[in-house]
């Protein structure tokens, strides 16, 4: 009997049942420290998904993912943690443009390349980052302003605009705001009624827009609300409709940026007038940069995704169904 048990034990050990499963060996996986802003918007969730889909162990990567919960100090400590862990690359989605010089200097000193994704970091020394992959936000805003010019060309009297901006100091906010302010300055018949801080979230926008509307006289005319992302648009529409306004073409024209599926559905429904696409699926572009660097090449400093505008005429249920985000 004892011999039988001994054989059984030996078989179990051989089968590895007795030992804990070892993680895959640190072979040649490329280790990436990723500092994400947070999960403040549908765009951000899609952006994180894109990264996690690309940077998998099957594809040859070990992804260390940090969510900064929309605080720059959390991003800075995450970069320092990744430097200590001696990752191969740091991928940073900077929440705002300033305050990065010293921590990126530390990464450079540790010989770890930094790739900026989505928003930009405004640093003195451009060698502090290897490449930037993200949208041209000023261009996005200028395309929205051109649509406004077209839409209001024949309108007699003032064009009354409420501007709800995103996280102050973020490249997306700076670019989209500059474009609107340039256009307002160029049109003496455009009136900027208010500039509110929606911080790219639906909750904050609903709060500030409700407060603003409650201070207006009943039914005061608003021609267009310029929302710097979809979640701002959702909050603004909720507040406007509660106050009796009709949103969409012919009513309060709603302009939004990102063009996530939720916003395109509202556009098809006729509550959003214009959705300016801002592509969150940047994982493949970032991987191209990393693979180029792995091959010893110097990547282009800036890589911009292709983006388009949507109005209801451009949309259908079928198109919505096939969109990735
Ligand atoms: C834009 C990105 C912005 C999105 C918002 O690339 O920085 O941040 O437009 C997100 O939805 O919060
Ligand atoms: Zn004009």
């Amino acid at each position: 009997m004892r011999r039988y048990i001994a054989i059984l034990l030996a078989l179990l050990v051989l089968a590895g049942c007795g030992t804990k499963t070892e993680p895959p060996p640190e072979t040649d996986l490329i280790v990436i420290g990723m500092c994400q802003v947070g999960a403040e918007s549908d765009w951000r969730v899609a952006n994180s998904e894109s990264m996690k889909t690309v940077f998998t162990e099957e594809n040859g990567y070990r992804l260390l993912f940090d969510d900064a919960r929309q605080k720059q100090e959390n991003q800075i400590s995450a970069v320092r943690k990744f430097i200590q862990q001696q990752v191969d690359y740091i991928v940073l989605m900077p929440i705002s443009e300033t305050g990065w010089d010293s921590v990126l200097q530390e990464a450079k000193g540790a010989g770890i390349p930094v790739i900026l994704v989505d928003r930009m970091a405004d640093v003195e020394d451009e060698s502090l980052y290897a490449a930037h992959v993200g949208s041209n936000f000023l261009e996005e805003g200028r395309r929205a302003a051109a649509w406004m010019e077209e839409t209001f060309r024949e309108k007699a009297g003032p064009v009354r605009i409420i501007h709800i901006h995103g996280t102050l100091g973020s490249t997306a906010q700076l670019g989209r705001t500059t474009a609107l302010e340039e256009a307002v300055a160029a049109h003496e018949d455009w009136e900027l009624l208010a500039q509110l801080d929606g911080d790219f979230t639906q909750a904050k926008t609903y709060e500030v827009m409700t407060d603003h509307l409650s201070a207006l006289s009943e039914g005061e005319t608003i021609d267009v609300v310029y929302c710097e992302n979809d979640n701002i648009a959702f909050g603004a529409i909720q507040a406007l409709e509660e106050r009796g306004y009709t949103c969409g073409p012919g009513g309060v024209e709603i302009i939004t940026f990102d063009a996530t599926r939720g916003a395109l559905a509202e556009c098809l429904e006729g509550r959003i007038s214009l959705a300016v696409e801002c592509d969150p699926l940047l994982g493949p572009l970032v991987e191209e940069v990393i693979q180029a660097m792995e091959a010893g090449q110097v990547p282009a400093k800036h890589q911009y995704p292709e983006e388009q505008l949507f109005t209801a005429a451009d949309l259908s249920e079928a198109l919505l169904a096939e969109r990735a985000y």
Side-chain angles (χ1 to χ4, degrees):
M1 182 57 176
R2 276 162 57 86
R3 206 162 74 83
Y4 174 70
I5 289 176
I7 291 171
L8 183 66
L9 274 179
L11 286 174
L12 277 177
V13 169
L14 277 179
C17 303
T19 57
K20 69 177 176 52
T21 46
E22 291 300 315
E26 271 293 339
T27 50
D28 51 357
L29 288 179
I30 297 173
V31 183
I32 296 174
M34 187 168 286
C35 307
Q36 179 54 292
V37 167
E40 75 285 357
S41 70
D42 298 35
W43 186 97
R44 187 66 55 193
V45 171
N47 181 247
S48 296
E49 268 316 297
S50 172
M51 299 295 163
K52 290 174 181 175
T53 303
V54 168
F55 296 109
T56 60
E57 299 217 347
E58 301 76 68
N59 291 347
Y61 302 95
R62 169 149 300 159
L63 178 63
L64 309 177
F65 185 89
D66 180 89
D67 174 337
R69 297 177 304 288
Q70 278 186 275
K71 293 204 177 346
Q72 181 174 30
E73 61 264 25
N74 293 344
Q75 290 198 301
I76 290 172
S77 52
V79 172
R80 292 205 162 106
K81 181 181 61 179
F82 293 141
I83 292 171
Q84 278 160 9
Q85 290 170 297
Q86 296 178 353
V87 299
D88 297 311
Y89 294 87
I90 289 173
V91 174
L92 169 65
M93 294 82 161
I95 182 166
S96 53
E97 293 207 337
T98 55
W100 297 104
D101 296 83
S102 55
V103 75
L104 295 190
Q105 192 59 54
E106 291 167 36
K108 182 178 180 182
I112 302 175
V114 173
I115 298 165
L116 298 178
V117 172
D118 178 25
R119 305 171 186 176
M120 268 298 287
D122 178 12
V123 287
E124 289 297 310
D125 171 4
E126 287 233 322
S127 76
L128 290 181
Y129 64 94
H132 165 248
V133 174
S135 300
N136 182 331
F137 304 107
L138 181 59
E139 180 54 32
E140 289 178 356
R142 284 177 173 161
R143 298 170 78 185
W147 179 86
M148 289 169 69
E149 281 166 359
E150 198 44 47
T151 302
F152 295 110
R153 188 177 305 286
E154 306 306 320
K155 183 177 188 317
V159 177
R160 285 169 285 252
I161 303 161
I162 289 184
H163 169 213
I164 311 176
H165 60 73
T167 306
L168 274 179
S170 67
T171 318
Q173 178 269 316
L174 294 168
R176 293 167 185 166
T177 293
T178 301
L180 177 65
E181 291 177 344
E182 278 175 349
V184 168
H187 289 271
E188 77 296 329
D189 55 337
W190 289 14
E191 278 176 33
L192 204 42
L193 301 176
Q195 291 185 283
L196 309 174
D197 181 1
D199 201 26
F200 286 136
T201 70
Q202 179 167 351
K204 179 77 186 300
T205 302
Y206 175 70
E207 182 195 319
V208 298
M209 189 60 164
T210 300
D211 287 351
H212 179 76
L213 293 176
S214 60
L216 294 186
S217 51
E218 192 67 25
E220 184 161 331
T221 305
I222 302 168
D223 296 302
V224 53
V225 180
Y226 183 97
C227 303
E228 291 192 357
N229 87 327
D230 294 342
N231 301 82
I232 287 177
F234 302 152
I237 291 169
Q238 193 184 353
L240 283 159
E241 289 183 341
E242 281 178 6
R243 188 85 177 166
Y245 287 92
T246 303
C247 297
V252 180
E253 305 282 357
I254 304 290
I255 293 172
T256 190
F257 294 83
D258 287 351
T260 55
R261 189 181 289 110
L264 295 181
E266 294 290 285
C267 196
L268 189 56
E269 288 282 302
R271 290 162 79 202
I272 285 179
S273 309
L274 175 74
V276 180
E277 186 179 27
C278 175
D279 187 357
L281 307 183
L282 300 175
L285 279 177
V286 176
E287 185 180 30
E288 275 174 35
V289 168
I290 288 176
Q291 286 303 320
M293 294 178 74
E294 286 290 297
Q297 294 155 18
V298 178
K301 205 70 178 171
H302 291 278
Q303 331 245 340
Y304 298 114
E306 285 297 310
E307 295 170 345
Q308 65 180 87
L309 300 188
F310 294 98
T311 62
D314 306 307
L315 293 169
S316 67
E317 290 298 344
L319 187 142
L320 259 61
E322 71 194 19
R323 289 217 21 116
Y325 64 93

